[in-house]
Amino acid sequence: MIEISNLHKSFRDKHILSGVNLDIETGKVTTIIGRSGCGKSVLLKHIVALLRPDRGKVVVEGENLNDMSSSELFEIRKKMGLVFQNGALFDSMNVDENVGLGLREHTKLSEKEISDKITRLLDMVGLPGIEKYKPSELSGGMKKRVSLARALAMEPKYVLYDEPTTGLDPIMAAIIDDLIIRLNTELSITSIVVTHDMHSVYEISDRVAMLHYGVVRFCGSTDELKNTTDPVVRQFIEGKIDGPIQPVLKDGR
Amino acid sequence: MASFKKIIVLIAEFFFIDKFGKKVLTFFSGMGESIILFYFAVKNLRYVHRDRKLVLEQMVIVGFNSIPLVIVSATFAGMVSAVQAGYQLQGFGSPNMFLGSATARAITTELAPVLTGLVLSGRFGASIAAEIGTMKVTEQIDALETLAIDPIRYLATPRLLAGIIMMPLLIVIADFIAIGGSMFIGYISMDVAPQAFFASVQRFMEVRDLMAGIVKAFLFGTSTALIGCYVGFSTEGGAEGVGQATIRAFVLSSAAILVNDYVVASIFFL
């Protein structure tokens, strides 16, 4: 269980999060939707403590991340995997070294066992035989899937996805969606997915939260999302130009 | 008159004190952060056996790959020091008997450490900042953290250790090559036999000349690697930010080399 309470974060004078309250249930897929720049990725980075809040707290399995030392945070992070929006693969390493880095750092597995595991993970994300490729030789979609393989290598309890299907073709997006569902049902992995892809949202989500102006505007099941009467949420999920959500103004809103 | 004074004060506050004050604060906070980074990088030396592959990789990049550059710069530095020393000693009775000691002392205490330090600050100090800066702006540092890997242990400690070990070695190499270059010019241009050159070196060189050079090399290696890492970790923005970080690392590490050079020279020779 991850509990996010009254989370505030500003960069310079700009408030990004203005009191986010959200509970992430264990073993479920929670998607976070919202307009570009509304703070979805910032929220995700708070959950893995890459960012510290100005106010409020993130509690993971009963432990407040604010109260933890660096070494305690590293232990919590071993239970989490983050799939970055642009992959964030290590340029100087090949795919094998990228995916296996966590295993080589934190486990006592033999090179053979690590190599077998990397092969399995790459097969799982639909990229067999690319162990020796460098990130510069991969397309954007391939980088994202290698990033997913890297995130899964340590068998985390929680996997956080930052726009996992953006930039992928529809078939590959469906494969990733299917993978997220399988990881959730077969391995009981708790997934938090930041996405704009409404098709994915309906496909994978147990719960959906919508961020708007730094707070959670909506939180509920996909059925509740479909039936909501909130005009802001309706405009967003239907992708309409006219409605209460206006184009970005000078003050960033 | 009073209002004029008020305007001057306001202008001074607005344009000078405010901006100057901010720059001073930024400078000191940067110094503080560098010291904290140094502390954590040194603290992580306990994992050095586990990270020996990373350290060796950096030693090759910092040290082995820099040897051609060091050879070229040291050869010409030694040759020009012989030319200059020969010119300066022209007014003395037997100038050539001092050529060896004059050039060797200048090379070991100043020329080799400072020139090599400056050349390497441009080479590996800037490259550390560019590499870590690129990792920062492309979220690779965040990725390391999410894999429960301490970026200071993984990135800063091996680079710092490589700088501390390799800079003195490179400067010792530069000492020998520059003295060789100086001897070569002495032989072909001033008829100073190699035996006479080395006799002069032996007669007038002191252990503290060599020690000063080694202490400088140690400090230059530390400051160059530390500044490269610090600037890299504090990089913001995209490609432009990385470019600025590279320049900043070179400027700051060059300035640190000159300051350290003066401090060590004062301690050893004043």
Side-chain angles (χ1 to χ4, degrees), chain A residues 39-85:
Chain A
K40 302 184 295 295
S41 299
V42 170
L43 178 60
L44 217 55
K45 287 188 174 179
H46 277 88
I47 297 171
V48 281
L50 287 174
L51 291 172
R52 296 280 185 149
D54 298 336
R55 201 143 42 98
K57 61 183 177 180
V58 177
V59 177
V60 179
E61 297 180 350
E63 307 254 26
N64 185 349
L65 299 188
N66 292 354
D67 300 336
M68 288 185 166
S69 66
S70 300
S71 54
E72 288 168 332
L73 281 177
F74 284 136
E75 287 308 310
I76 277 279
R77 285 185 189 133
K78 285 180 189 170
K79 298 177 186 173
M80 296 180 170
L82 175 58
V83 182
F84 287 84
Q85 198 170 345

Side-chain angles (χ1 to χ4, degrees), chain A residues 171-184:
Chain A
I171 296 167
M172 191 43 68
I175 290 171
I176 296 293
D177 284 347
D178 182 57
L179 190 63
I180 294 171
I181 296 166
R182 276 198 294 126
L183 289 169
N184 173 246

Side-chain angles (χ1 to χ4, degrees), chain B residues 26-156:
Chain B
T26 307
F27 176 76
F28 281 108
S29 70
M31 289 271 282
E33 284 165 5
S34 306
I35 291 165
I36 292 168
L37 174 64
F38 181 72
Y39 167 75
F40 283 111
V42 170
K43 204 176 160 192
N44 280 314
L45 283 174
R46 62 196 153 141
Y47 302 115
V48 76
H49 180 69
R50 190 175 120 189
D51 293 335
R52 60 191 180 279
K53 195 179 157 216
L54 294 171
V55 177
L56 281 172
E57 267 175 22
Q58 290 305 316
M59 284 169 72
V60 169
I61 293 168
V62 171
F64 189 75
N65 294 351
S66 301
I67 289 176
L69 192 62
V70 169
I71 289 175
V72 172
S73 60
T75 305
F76 286 97
M79 285 160 66
V80 81
S81 71
V83 172
Q84 286 296 324
Y87 174 70
Q88 298 290 331
L89 293 169
Q90 269 176 1
F92 294 87
S94 179
N96 294 348
M97 70 178 283
F98 298 112
L99 185 71
S101 63
T103 54
R105 289 185 88 167
I107 285 165
T108 52
T109 58
E110 280 300 324
L111 272 176
V114 175
L115 272 179
T116 311
L118 288 174
V119 166
L120 292 183
S121 74
R123 193 184 175 279
F124 87 83
S127 99
I128 288 173
E131 189 185 2
I132 297 180
T134 304
M135 290 184 76
K136 174 87 187 300
V137 300
T138 55
E139 294 185 307
Q140 292 176 55
I141 306 260
D142 285 348
L144 273 180
E145 292 208 50
T146 58
L147 292 170
I149 297 168
D150 180 359
I152 296 178
R153 192 213 97 214
Y154 197 80
L155 298 172

Side-chain angles (χ1 to χ4, degrees), chain B:
Chain B
M1 193 66 191
S3 62
F4 179 70
K5 195 178 169 186
K6 201 174 170 185
I7 289 166
I8 293 291
V9 169
L10 277 172
I11 290 170
E13 275 178 3
F14 187 75
F15 286 108
F16 180 71
I17 298 172
D18 192 36
K19 284 189 178 174
F20 182 73
K22 272 182 190 163
K23 286 202 170 183
V24 169
L25 279 175
T26 307
F27 176 76
F28 281 108
S29 70
M31 289 271 282
E33 284 165 5
S34 306
I35 291 165
I36 292 168
L37 174 64
F38 181 72
Y39 167 75
F40 283 111
V42 170
K43 204 176 160 192
N44 280 314
L45 283 174
R46 62 196 153 141
Y47 302 115
V48 76
H49 180 69
R50 190 175 120 189
D51 293 335
R52 60 191 180 279
K53 195 179 157 216
L54 294 171
V55 177
L56 281 172
E57 267 175 22
Q58 290 305 316
M59 284 169 72
V60 169
I61 293 168
V62 171
F64 189 75
N65 294 351
S66 301
I67 289 176
L69 192 62
V70 169
I71 289 175
V72 172
S73 60
T75 305
F76 286 97
M79 285 160 66
V80 81
S81 71
V83 172
Q84 286 296 324
Y87 174 70
Q88 298 290 331
L89 293 169
Q90 269 176 1
F92 294 87
S94 179
N96 294 348
M97 70 178 283
F98 298 112
L99 185 71
S101 63
T103 54
R105 289 185 88 167
I107 285 165
T108 52
T109 58
E110 280 300 324
L111 272 176
V114 175
L115 272 179
T116 311
L118 288 174
V119 166
L120 292 183
S121 74
R123 193 184 175 279
F124 87 83
S127 99
I128 288 173
E131 189 185 2
I132 297 180
T134 304
M135 290 184 76
K136 174 87 187 300
V137 300
T138 55
E139 294 185 307
Q140 292 176 55
I141 306 260
D142 285 348
L144 273 180
E145 292 208 50
T146 58
L147 292 170
I149 297 168
D150 180 359
I152 296 178
R153 192 213 97 214
Y154 197 80
L155 298 172
T157 304
R159 283 161 179 77
L160 188 67
L161 199 56
I164 291 171
I165 295 170
M166 296 315 287
M167 185 73 99
L169 283 176
L170 289 170
I171 286 175
V172 168
I173 292 171
D175 281 342
F176 280 108
I177 290 168
I179 290 171
S182 171
M183 185 197 72
F184 176 71
I185 292 297
Y187 181 63
I188 62 162
S189 302
M190 298 168 215
D191 290 330
V192 179
Q195 295 89 334
F197 184 91
F198 281 113
S200 166
V201 173
Q202 278 183 330
R203 196 178 313 147
F204 296 104
M205 273 281 282
E206 293 177 27
V207 176
R208 70 171 177 169
D209 296 334
L210 283 173
M211 284 302 298
I214 300 295
V215 171
K216 282 179 185 180
F218 174 77
L219 287 174
F220 296 171
T222 309
S223 61
T224 302
L226 181 65
I227 288 169
C229 291
Y230 171 70
V231 171
F233 280 121
S234 40
T235 303
E236 284 179 350
E240 191 191 357
V242 175
Q244 284 171 351
T246 311
I247 296 167
R248 210 167 134 230
F250 174 61
V251 171
L252 288 175
S253 53
S254 300
I257 283 171
L258 297 174
V259 172
N260 281 324
D261 183 45
Y262 170 74
V263 172
V264 177
S266 304
I267 292 167
F268 273 83
F269 304 115
L270 274 183

